[in-house]
Amino acid sequence: MKRFLHKLNRVWKLILLFLLIVMVFSYAMFQGGFVSWFLFYSFLPFALYGLLIAVYPMRDWQVKRKILKYEYRAKEEMQVEIELTRNSFFPVFYMVVRDSFNSTMGQKIEEKRMLMPGLKRRLRFNYTVKELPRGEHVFDQIFLQLGDPLGLIEKEKVYIQVERILVYPPIEEMIYKPLENHYEQGMISSKERVQRDTTMAVGVREYQPGDRFSWINWKASARRNNMMTKEFEQKQSHDIMIVMDCQENKRFETTVSFTASILRVILKKGAQVGLLSVDTERKIFPIRGGESHQQYLLYHLAKVRATKEITLAEVVDYESSQLPPQATIMLITSQVTRELIDKAGWLASKRYNIVMFAITGQKEGLSSEERTLSAFAGKKGIQIIPVSEGRFKEAFGEGLA
């Protein structure tokens, strides 16, 4: 229907142009005199040009979009070049070029430019998109419109040229140090979980309660007339599982940025990390390390969206069976609630090591209610660390070795 109305409008404007020509000519014929014929001859070039525009083929123009690169960081600038070429020298009074892209975040950014081609066969212009928003952005079409000086005849054409760019969340440089484990009794254990490699014995020591029966070295026990056990090589592991809050709020983008920053610095440190997020769909990435794993995680964070459907407390409750008990669980949220602390406290009672990062605004700390909840969480063995927007490097200022 819309397309039909558009064609009808074009036909009506063409009829109107013919009517104007007839009216001005009739006026000159019946009125006579210099003024009436001057009006007719002055109007005639504009009318003829409008008729030529009506039959001018838009396919004479070829349009290309050039993008320097296809991966960016949020808030970076993007340079785009539009090039227009044609074969003929037909004079074009004005041309409007409109380029736009749609984001997976629901945003639309558009650039509109008016050009005066004249007799030129090649036109080129650049435009800059400042502070790109995070997400996957799709350029799908370039809209071209031209017309006559009177604005009676307008022609347009849409050029399909699909291109995609990916904008990763902004990453701040951080210094990461492993956090200590806090349990309900308030005791502090080792900074990293220790595992024994039972395939390699490096010595013997006296038997201690809790040692396995299979570790007893019978020959050494007989020589020393005392129970001796094998001493194994100790390997330290520091696996981390991050659970990100995807609930819609004003600090969601800061939450995504902090998650990307902490993932990068942990992997750079040589540790292994996994990620769990639930927005419109559930995504869980197993605990791994390496550059390729980092790219998978950042790609996901570039496209993750906020949701109103589920809270972080519900995610912790529903996905508790998927959280590895040997890993440190890091909860990243901008909304500290009693329900979330209760769910995290239940995990802490199962000997999970829970750390919660509370995202706040710039130069802000925890509210009085959040400080009360933080003290309550400490009794449950949960560490709550406030993180201010733009000051991520201070996140490990507490509880560090």
Side-chain angles (χ1 to χ4, degrees):
M1 185 65 179
K2 187 176 180 181
R3 190 174 181 181
F4 172 75
L5 291 174
H6 183 67
K7 287 185 176 180
L8 185 62
N9 185 51
R10 289 176 58 186
V11 173
W12 162 246
K13 286 186 174 182
L14 190 60
I15 294 173
L16 180 61
L17 180 60
F18 276 110
L19 288 174
L20 286 173
I21 295 174
V22 171
M23 290 172 62
V24 174
F25 179 73
S26 300
Y27 175 74
M29 286 291 293
F30 290 103
Q31 182 68 25
F34 172 77
V35 175
S36 58
W37 283 107
F38 177 78
L39 287 174
F40 172 71
Y41 286 116
S42 298
F43 176 71
L44 191 60
F46 293 98
L48 292 176
Y49 181 76
L51 293 175
L52 290 174
I53 286 290
V55 298
Y56 176 69
M58 291 293 290
R59 63 177 179 272
D60 187 37
W61 289 94
Q62 291 82 43
V63 181
K64 290 183 180 180
R65 181 195 302 111
K66 296 180 181 179
I67 301 174
L68 296 180
K69 60 179 183 177
Y70 294 89
E71 292 186 351
Y72 296 85
R73 293 280 178 204
K75 299 182 180 179
E76 269 192 80
E77 289 188 352
M78 177 180 64
Q79 298 288 336
V80 181
E81 181 182 283
I82 303 294
E83 184 179 39
L84 302 99
T85 56
R86 59 173 173 162
N87 299 318
S88 70
F89 287 96
F90 179 80
V92 177
F93 179 68
Y94 80 90
M95 176 183 292
V96 176
V97 184
R98 189 167 71 241
D99 191 20
S100 63
F101 63 82
N102 297 301
S103 169
T104 53
M105 304 294 113
Q107 298 166 302
K108 183 174 183 178
I109 296 178
E110 182 177 272
E111 176 69 18
K112 192 174 182 180
R113 192 68 62 90
M114 187 172 183
L115 306 174
M116 301 291 184
L119 298 173
K120 295 178 182 177
R121 296 176 60 185
R122 183 177 182 181
L123 299 170
R124 181 185 297 171
F125 72 90
N126 298 287
Y127 70 89
T128 303
V129 180
K130 296 183 178 180
E131 296 192 353
L132 279 168
R134 179 186 62 85
E136 185 179 38
H137 308 304
V138 181
F139 291 87
D140 51 1
Q141 59 189 22
I142 301 174
F143 180 83
L144 196 64
Q145 182 185 53
L146 53 84
D148 69 308
L150 298 179
L152 291 175
I153 304 298
E154 290 181 346
K155 300 192 73 174
E156 59 187 40
K157 183 177 176 60
V158 176
Y159 296 82
I160 305 299
Q161 189 174 350
V162 179
E163 292 178 284
R164 297 174 183 269
I165 64 168
L166 190 66
V167 183
Y168 294 103
I171 292 179
E172 291 187 26
E173 292 298 325
M174 300 173 63
I175 299 176
Y176 172 74
K177 294 181 181 179
L179 293 163
E180 298 175 346
N181 296 340
H182 290 252
Y183 295 104
E184 191 172 358
Q185 295 83 357
M187 299 294 290
I188 299 176
S189 66
S190 61
K191 301 180 187 66
E192 296 181 344
R193 295 184 181 273
V194 176
Q195 297 178 337
R196 289 183 172 82
D197 185 357
T198 56
T199 62
M200 184 177 295
V202 294
V204 293
R205 59 172 173 79
E206 291 187 2
Y207 175 84
Q208 295 177 358
D211 288 343
R212 296 181 183 178
F213 185 75
S214 59
W215 293 352
I216 296 177
N217 189 318
W218 296 107
K219 292 182 179 180
S221 299
R223 285 197 302 269
R224 301 188 183 186
N225 198 27
N226 193 10
M227 292 292 289
M228 306 296 292
T229 60
K230 299 174 184 176
E231 180 72 29
F232 298 103
E233 181 180 13
Q234 294 184 343
K235 295 195 303 181
Q236 291 182 328
S237 67
H238 189 57
D239 294 343
I240 296 169
M241 189 68 183
I242 293 178
V243 184
M244 189 185 78
D245 187 1
C246 292
Q247 190 174 16
E248 186 176 324
N249 61 78
K250 64 181 181 180
R251 297 196 185 101
F252 176 70
E253 290 301 321
T254 307
T255 301
V256 176
S257 177
F258 178 73
T259 303
S261 299
I262 197 171
L263 282 171
R264 183 174 178 270
V265 73
I266 289 173
L267 290 169
K268 191 176 180 181
K269 191 76 172 179
Q272 299 190 106
V273 65
L275 176 65
L276 170 63
S277 68
V278 181
D279 50 9
T280 52
E281 60 181 7
R282 172 184 177 273
K283 284 286 186 179
I284 183 166
F285 296 86
I287 295 175
R288 291 177 184 166
E291 185 68 27
S292 61
H293 184 56
Q294 176 178 297
Q295 284 301 114
Y296 282 127
L297 295 175
L298 292 179
Y299 178 76
H300 170 68
L301 291 177
K303 300 175 68 175
V304 69
R305 303 179 68 174
T307 179
K308 296 180 180 179
E309 303 297 324
I310 189 168
T311 65
L312 183 59
E314 292 171 331
V315 172
V316 172
D317 187 26
Y318 300 153
E319 304 290 342
S320 58
S321 61
Q322 302 299 318
L323 301 177
Q326 76 278 6
T328 296
I329 309 300
M330 290 185 175
L331 307 177
I332 301 178
T333 182
S334 60
Q335 303 177 89
V336 180
T337 63
R338 177 63 182 267
E339 183 185 9
L340 175 58
I341 291 174
D342 287 339
K343 299 299 182 183
W346 181 84
L347 285 177
S349 68
K350 301 297 181 182
R351 308 301 288 178
Y352 280 86
N353 182 35
I354 309 293
V355 179
M356 188 184 302
F357 292 96
I359 307 299
T360 65
Q362 285 186 340
K363 299 180 181 179
E364 293 180 10
L366 298 176
S367 65
S368 57
E369 182 182 356
E370 288 174 332
R371 286 195 295 271
T372 301
L373 289 172
S374 179
F376 175 71
K379 295 179 180 178
K380 289 180 173 288
I382 304 168
Q383 208 176 355
I384 296 184
I385 301 174
V387 180
S388 297
E389 183 180 350
R391 301 171 67 180
F392 293 170
K393 60 178 60 178
E394 298 177 11
F396 296 94
E398 296 179 16
L400 301 181

